[in-house]
Amino acid sequence: MSVLHDFRIRLAALIAVFGFVFVALVLTATASASALPAPSALSLNTSSHDAYAKYQTIVYGATVSKAGTLTHIIMTLPAGATVSSPRSSSGTVLPYKTGQIIWRPNAPIKVVAGTRLSIPVVGIYYNQPGTTGMWLVASNAAGDALSYAVGNFLLDNPTLGCQATGNNYIQTENAKAGAPKSQWEISPSRFVPTTFSGYANADSYKCGDLAYLKVDSQLTGLATAKVYRMGYYGGTGAREVWSTADYFLTGKQPAAVTINTTNPTVQRMADASNWHYNLAIRIDGRFTPGAYLTKLTDRSGRETYVPFTVRDETGVKHAYLLQQATTTWQAYNTYGGHSFYSGVGGGSSHISFNRPYAEAAGKGSGEYLQLENGLVYWMEQNGYDVAYWTDTDLHTKPTQISSRARNLIMPAHDEYYSYAMRSAVVTGIGTSVNLVSLGANQMHRPIIFNSSNRVYEVQGKITGGYPQTTFRSRGPAYAEQGILGAQYGCRSYGTVIPNSSWMFSGVPAGTALEGFANGETDNVNTYDFANKYNVPKPAGNTVLASAKLDFCTISYEPLRMDIVARTTPAGTRVFGGSSFAYACFLNNSCYTTWPGRGTMFSVDAADSAAVSRILTNVLRWADTGATQ
């Protein structure tokens, strides 16, 4: 009896007991190499050639040389690589021996010679650069090899160490070549979040972190990713910073679960934290601090963005810190059927960051594209020394505003604030931080984060319903006017006429900014009719401009928007912009159909230039106090 025949008898006994076979035994126990067919070429396509990337995909490809019924495939890993929760399509994959994995189809597969095998495996952690000789053996239940393939796999080290930023890094960054808009922009027809969507495990990162993505693809099993830093870049608006080398494994995710169902009348939020990870992106020195959009594309042509922010943690104090309103993005996010405001049976009191963004205008970016991108574009175009962080960063790092920047900029719609966030802003302007609010309906609703800071509750909705979900419902000391100088009045539309105020210095006479009082607007309020008290006004508050509104969605609010400014007793300065329209006027990109308008309105070049001049005046005043 030959050694090979004896081995196969023992192998059959193992199959009867365990129901599977490890082909690696064949490789070590056969009497000669004749047990394997002649090797064919092993193709190895990877989502990243980064030698230290985590949670990556390798697509193993080989050709069947012998007909049979395929029951399992043994595959090697790159040198030093490990796997974590590995997955594959149409089968299961598990670690086997050191440096090896085993894949089994959901059911045995009949194959003929010439059949092409393509097995994607996700969950591979690379740990070192270099070239690895790798192999694959596909076998039947008896241990006969149906395919034997060998090939080389190269991993390199593209890592750039974390870089010092300094106060001129925006100019240096924007001198780099940008990506054409046709590359980074998404066509509305390609954004279909019910069939292709994704989200990141955090809304901001620092250099050295890993950004993990969870992606749901209902139509195809593979996708690509390109990461763009948003800025000016000669007018292109973005620069490609990172991309997958090839496809990564996606596929269908489990249905999102409904969290906090103890009171389902108000707690209906979809939470997709039960999804598995598909890709990890190393945030290294290539990722200059800023606002980022990851563009995902599946093989059917569906596309979506996944936004995140990269913070500057080098200790440099910048002139401006631009805050991204991520808590508000999520409150308006309808993914899973419910936002704070809408859904079957009404909105949800609990809001989860563990889900993609569904709104068509943002194409997966939340409210970034329509309400914040124009400001990022303009500030980087003009070389401002600006750093970035998010609402969640303000909540988790409330004492750090003054060490990061002289001026905190709130974007167009920064409505949902924890008490820690609110106190941080109050403390900042009471000591050394200037506040520039380039929006309206700011700091309006109190929220309570859970311990993970990935879910928050809008306070008051459960116990008091919608009317009790505002800070001001807790008494006059909580009215946002006491901080900002004006407070939310209504959704509206109106025209701003420049006057002799310093904020309009350099704006051509006769300019009329139609639609600049827009989206939601603030006004200086004397009496809160909803809560029955006189609204406090901060000392020194000055109305720089007022605009008559064409209408107001709240009957007792005045048909007026007020832009305000003041210098505090601490010597800090506060500007209340009172409209959503600053950012979108700056780059002529008002995506939103504003209240009172049946169609989207366009911003002409003259109005855009006027708002650019206004904002130049406002930022100079905030930083230096100069009015000329």
Side-chain angles (χ1 to χ4, degrees):
M1 180 181 293
S2 71
V3 175
L4 178 60
H5 183 65
D6 177 67
F7 171 77
R8 284 180 174 165
I9 291 175
R10 289 185 283 110
L11 193 60
L14 287 173
I15 294 170
V17 175
F18 296 107
F20 60 86
V21 59
F22 294 136
V23 173
L25 295 176
V26 176
L27 298 179
T28 58
T30 52
S32 70
S34 62
L36 293 172
S40 61
L42 174 64
S43 65
L44 297 160
N45 296 320
T46 177
S47 51
S48 175
H49 288 287
D50 181 345
Y52 299 98
K54 309 299 181 185
Y55 223 90
Q56 301 303 305
T57 295
I58 294 180
V59 181
Y60 295 79
T63 301
V64 172
S65 57
K66 178 181 177 181
T69 301
L70 176 65
T71 59
H72 53 276
I73 302 176
I74 299 291
M75 299 169 282
T76 52
L77 296 170
T82 58
V83 292
S84 177
S85 302
R87 291 180 295 103
S88 185
S89 56
S90 65
T92 59
V93 61
L94 291 171
Y96 172 44
K97 291 184 174 181
T98 302
Q100 298 177 11
I101 52 179
I102 183 169
W103 175 87
R104 303 182 191 88
N106 294 330
I109 303 171
K110 290 185 177 181
V111 295
V112 298
T115 299
R116 186 66 183 168
L117 302 176
S118 182
I119 310 297
V121 178
V122 67
I124 299 172
Y125 283 34
Y126 302 143
N127 292 292
Q128 64 187 57
T131 300
T132 304
M134 295 172 61
W135 54 258
L136 168 157
V137 176
S139 303
N140 62 18
D144 297 319
L146 308 180
S147 177
Y148 173 45
V150 297
N152 290 321
F153 187 78
L154 173 65
L155 291 174
D156 54 27
N157 185 11
T159 300
L160 180 65
C162 297
Q163 304 294 301
T165 55
N167 296 111
N168 297 311
Y169 84 99
I170 292 296
Q171 295 96 314
T172 302
E173 171 65 27
N174 280 270
K176 299 173 183 177
K181 290 185 178 181
S182 59
Q183 288 185 10
W184 69 263
E185 288 186 333
I186 289 177
S187 168
S189 63
R190 292 179 177 270
F191 176 67
V192 187
T194 54
T195 58
F196 186 59
S197 60
Y199 72 93
N201 69 321
D203 61 6
S204 80
Y205 304 94
K206 67 180 185 303
C207 185
D209 286 344
L210 286 168
Y212 285 95
L213 270 59
K214 296 185 176 184
V215 182
D216 176 45
S217 180
Q218 296 290 313
L219 302 180
T220 67
L222 296 170
T224 60
K226 291 182 181 292
V227 181
Y228 295 94
R229 186 185 182 277
M230 309 308 291
Y232 176 63
Y233 301 107
T236 67
R239 179 175 73 87
E240 182 182 325
V241 174
W242 185 95
S243 71
T244 47
D246 206 326
Y247 293 100
F248 67 95
L249 184 64
T250 55
K252 296 180 180 180
Q253 296 276 13
V257 300
T258 301
I259 61 172
N260 299 307
T261 56
T262 55
N263 187 348
T265 60
V266 290
Q267 301 181 9
R268 310 178 179 91
M269 179 53 52
D271 181 277
S273 55
N274 60 327
W275 287 6
H276 44 248
Y277 290 115
N278 302 91
L279 185 70
I281 301 167
R282 285 207 302 150
I283 309 299
D284 61 12
R286 293 170 290 180
F287 289 78
T288 305
Y292 284 79
L293 293 179
T294 304
K295 181 181 178 181
L296 304 178
T297 306
D298 75 3
R299 298 186 91 173
S300 72
R302 299 288 170 88
E303 297 175 336
T304 189
Y305 292 123
V306 174
F308 63 81
T309 300
V310 175
R311 308 184 306 272
D312 182 6
E313 297 290 349
T314 63
V316 173
K317 184 171 182 175
H318 297 278
Y320 302 94
L321 178 60
L322 178 53
Q323 185 163 290
Q324 297 191 267
T326 51
T327 56
T328 302
W329 299 358
Q330 284 293 357
Y332 284 81
N333 181 12
T334 59
Y335 185 89
H338 288 88
S339 69
F340 170 70
Y341 299 90
S342 64
V344 176
S348 174
S349 63
H350 284 65
I351 309 297
S352 174
F353 281 87
N354 299 317
R355 57 190 181 129
Y357 291 105
E359 282 55 55
K363 303 181 185 69
S365 74
E367 292 191 334
Y368 174 78
L369 276 182
Q370 62 268 43
L371 293 181
E372 299 184 21
N373 186 52
L375 182 58
V376 172
Y377 179 94
W378 180 86
M379 292 196 75
E380 300 214 351
Q381 176 186 13
N382 289 281
Y384 282 95
D385 176 25
V386 57
Y388 298 84
W389 75 353
T390 70
D391 282 344
T392 304
D393 296 318
L394 177 62
H395 172 75
T396 58
K397 305 168 181 60
T399 63
Q400 294 185 15
I401 306 175
S402 60
S403 64
R404 290 176 179 269
R406 299 189 299 270
N407 306 276
L408 175 65
I409 301 177
M410 295 169 62
H413 192 193
D414 204 3
E415 179 177 354
Y416 289 77
Y417 267 56
S418 68
Y419 286 90
M421 294 165 67
R422 188 180 190 277
S423 295
V425 173
V426 171
T427 299
I429 63 177
T431 53
S432 61
V433 177
N434 306 306
L435 178 63
V436 179
S437 170
L438 297 177
N441 193 19
Q442 314 280 60
M443 306 176 68
H444 186 59
R445 298 189 196 276
I447 61 175
I448 301 170
F449 279 96
N450 71 356
S451 58
S452 71
N453 296 317
R454 294 290 291 170
V455 176
Y456 67 80
E457 175 191 342
V458 183
Q459 187 179 18
K461 188 172 179 66
I462 294 177
T463 57
Y466 189 89
Q468 298 302 309
T469 61
T470 64
F471 272 112
R472 66 178 74 161
S473 68
R474 282 147 182 76
Y478 289 95
E480 60 265 37
Q481 181 168 286
I483 303 170
L484 301 171
Q487 67 184 34
Y488 174 55
C490 57
R491 298 173 66 243
S492 51
Y493 184 87
T495 298
V496 172
I497 305 297
N499 56 33
S500 60
S501 166
W502 58 262
M503 71 173 287
F504 297 112
S505 177
V507 176
T511 298
L513 300 174
E514 181 186 357
F516 191 68
N518 225 314
E520 294 178 316
T521 57
D522 294 353
N523 61 72
V524 177
N525 213 309
T526 57
Y527 185 77
D528 190 311
F529 286 92
N531 297 293
K532 312 302 182 191
Y533 58 72
N534 293 323
V535 183
K537 287 184 286 188
N541 200 51
T542 301
V543 176
L544 301 179
S546 292
K548 181 181 178 180
L549 303 177
D550 292 358
F551 79 105
C552 181
T553 55
I554 302 175
S555 60
Y556 52 75
E557 291 288 346
L559 286 169
R560 189 184 73 250
M561 180 199 78
D562 297 317
I563 300 173
V564 299
R566 77 180 188 277
T567 299
T568 72
T572 59
R573 290 167 288 278
V574 177
F575 175 82
S578 301
S579 171
F580 278 8
Y582 290 85
C584 73
F585 264 67
L586 288 170
N587 68 344
N588 309 332
S589 60
C590 294
Y591 289 88
T592 305
T593 301
W594 299 114
R597 301 276 297 194
T599 59
M600 294 173 65
F601 73 98
S602 61
V603 179
D604 63 32
D607 284 357
S608 181
V611 174
S612 176
R613 184 66 209 177
I614 290 168
L615 194 52
T616 299
N617 296 336
V618 167
L619 294 185
R620 182 180 63 235
W621 172 80
D623 196 38
T624 68
T627 57
Q628 295 293 331

